[in-house]
Amino acid sequence: MTYTEKLAVNTRTNTALVASIVLSASAAVGACFVAAQKPCCSLLTNNFKPNPEGPCPDNITSNPTVDHFNIASPGQPGKKSRISVNPGPDCVWDVYSMNGEGNCILIVEGRRTHCTPITVAGASCTGEAQP
Amino acid sequence: MIMATILVYSTIAITSDEQARAWFDRVVAHARSGLDSLELKITYRVESLEPLDTTQIPALRARVKDFPEHPDRILLDRLERFERFGPEIRTQTVWVRHGQLRISREPTLDPGSFYYDLIDFGDSGWSLTPTQLSLVGTRDSRPRGQSFASPISASALEVHDFIAPGAATLARADVQRFILDPTGRWSAESVLATPAGPRAYVVRGRWDPSRGAGAFAGSQLHESGLDSKVISTLEASDHRPTAGMLSDPASVLMYASQASPPRRATLVALAALDPAEFKAVTARPTLNGSDPIRGPVTFTQINDYTGRDAEYRVADEKREFQTVAVEETPEGRQRAWLRRAGWALAAGILVTIVLLRVKQARSA
């Protein structure tokens, strides 16, 4: 086997390796969903999330549960499609900041962000096995 | 005779000066002990005086129209709320007894707002909204975002500012000069260590030698030394001598700072705290019980952060609380991702090994 042939085999092997990892990861993500309820703040996808870290963390004052979805476990009956619905309950928090004296002071009280609950609908499927 | 008069006056001045300084030191030491030294019930409101220009609303709406993540949406939201409900006003009552406390915040004028109460015992605590009851353990064990640290520290500062405006900040500073003039006005110059470096901090007040008491009237924070620009001020007014208080509490506080919008805090009520009342207002309501401040409970979710893992319980139609499965919680979701990623990686490695073996077999 020439060097070029070996290189070609190696390239094919590497391509197959990458493809297999990608396919495995895709399969792991799954496409079956089951309805669930989750805390609203955990679902926020915009830039204005509560800041729970640092020396002056924001304080969550309301975090209601909202309808959402989970990825189905293998073999677990679920639904195939997801439907975004209108903004639902609010995640509410107080915004704090350090002032010039190094004190943590309340800047905005009751900042609200809508959760966007996602409900599950459509044809049924079972677990993660089905794409 | 003249010499004797001078001597007497000097003695009085020195005595008054020393008395004033001793009183000042006691007030600062009292503030230094934070909430541990307090046993009172105080109600006050804080109003934002931030000048907001609502004429920009149409232009802002047009600017963010097609951009759901546009940062100006924050400003637009504030302007719209200001236009509809007026300035932000926070009204709250604080019951504090030797470091333990309850803070009850009232809803704002926004009809979508609601009350928020927190109770902190140090080794445990809970918070209450119309929809949720959250339980927390020791201060060190509380998850981020549920520590209560910010509202407690902010409230402690405000409470101390009513009692002796500026004393809580002075308690962290290095007091270098205390000057009392013949009219009874005093000022204390100090250096405050801040994240931005040392800053001069000056507090002013009045001393009444006939009562052996006085008041803190205001403070100013400089950018660096005493000659530098003033970047933050606190002006206190309408002081009222109150039994049991080391200094005369103020009724109105005006805050102005480069770091935050100006605001006015107004005292509504201040009274000594009855231990029986404190016990009653800090008793945790039962699932179908009642809270002495909020009445019959309405929460439909319980967040329990007292254990190693957070536990969420949600009420069903019969108001029976069911535990939400671990995989449906934020923590569980993260673990599920890790588990899936692990399986994906293992599968990838397995396939690689198989491919290599096949390749070796073919080569042979």
Side-chain angles (χ1 to χ4, degrees), chain A residues 10 17 57 61 63 94 103 112, chain B residues 105 112 129 132 150 352 359:
Chain A
N10 280 340
L17 170 62
T61 59
N63 190 13
D94 295 340
N103 292 321
R112 297 168 166 273
Chain B
R105 282 192 189 152
T129 71
Q132 296 181 60
S150 300
T352 307
K359 180 188 159 193

Side-chain angles (χ1 to χ4, degrees), chain B residues 82-361:
Chain B
F82 181 73
E83 190 177 56
R84 292 179 67 190
F85 310 118
E88 288 173 359
I89 299 176
R90 169 169 48 98
T91 302
Q92 66 181 35
T93 299
V94 181
W95 293 259
V96 56
R97 185 161 192 261
H98 306 315
Q100 301 183 336
L101 81 167
R102 171 172 181 148
I103 300 172
S104 289
R105 282 192 189 152
E106 304 305 322
T108 64
L109 293 176
D110 179 347
S113 69
F114 38 72
Y115 65 77
Y116 171 63
D117 294 3
L118 72 83
I119 287 78
D120 182 67
F121 298 118
D123 60 350
S124 64
W126 50 278
S127 66
L128 182 69
T129 71
T131 56
Q132 296 181 60
L133 173 69
S134 296
L135 315 177
V136 294
T138 59
R139 285 177 183 153
D140 292 342
S141 71
R142 295 172 193 171
R144 285 170 172 169
Q146 301 290 341
S147 70
F148 302 169
S150 300
I152 290 175
S153 64
S155 298
L157 275 169
E158 289 168 347
V159 170
H160 276 291
D161 278 348
F162 277 113
I163 296 170
T169 303
L170 211 49
R172 296 188 290 113
D174 177 18
V175 179
Q176 300 189 324
R177 281 182 80 194
F178 179 83
I179 307 159
L180 176 69
D181 75 15
T183 67
R185 294 180 190 280
W186 58 262
S187 69
E189 297 170 5
S190 68
V191 176
L192 181 68
T194 76
R199 288 176 166 169
Y201 186 63
V202 182
V203 179
R204 296 169 285 101
R206 292 186 301 277
W207 163 249
D208 181 355
S210 65
R211 291 193 297 126
F216 281 52
S219 64
Q220 57 189 45
L221 179 72
H222 294 256
E223 195 164 36
S224 53
L226 273 173
D227 296 333
S228 66
K229 188 171 68 171
V230 173
I231 58 171
S232 174
T233 62
L234 166 58
E235 293 297 327
S237 59
D238 198 8
H239 294 81
R240 294 173 189 179
T242 303
M245 293 287 176
L246 273 175
S247 59
D248 302 341
S251 298
V252 179
L253 304 171
M254 294 287 289
Y255 295 90
S257 166
Q258 283 186 350
S260 58
R263 62 195 194 280
R264 175 174 51 221
T266 308
L267 183 67
V268 177
L270 174 63
L273 179 59
D274 176 4
E277 180 183 353
F278 185 74
K279 190 176 178 184
V281 299
T282 54
R284 196 170 82 197
T286 56
L287 298 186
N288 293 298
S290 184
D291 177 78
I293 306 301
R294 304 304 180 189
V297 298
T298 56
F299 58 82
T300 54
Q301 179 181 342
I302 300 172
N303 311 313
D304 188 345
Y305 301 108
T306 57
R308 182 172 161 270
D309 296 320
E311 185 180 289
Y312 303 93
R313 284 185 285 161
V314 180
D316 60 19
E317 296 80 9
K318 297 175 186 171
R319 203 172 163 72
E320 288 174 356
F321 284 81
Q322 311 295 335
T323 301
V324 177
V326 173
E327 60 268 21
E328 295 172 7
T329 64
E331 294 84 356
R333 184 176 49 183
Q334 285 179 352
R335 285 182 201 168
W337 267 105
L338 282 174
R339 195 170 55 244
R340 289 190 175 93
W343 279 114
L345 191 63
I349 292 169
L350 192 63
V351 169
T352 307
I353 291 170
V354 169
L355 285 173
L356 288 173
R357 286 288 167 91
V358 169
K359 180 188 159 193
Q360 282 174 350

Side-chain angles (χ1 to χ4, degrees), chain B residues 53-67 70 72-73 75-76 79-80 83:
Chain B
D53 179 12
T54 55
T55 61
Q56 333 174 43
I57 289 178
L60 276 173
R61 280 184 186 142
R63 194 185 305 161
V64 306
K65 182 169 172 276
D66 298 321
F67 304 98
H70 198 293
D72 281 350
R73 282 185 180 272
L75 176 61
L76 177 60
L79 290 175
E80 287 176 337
E83 190 177 56

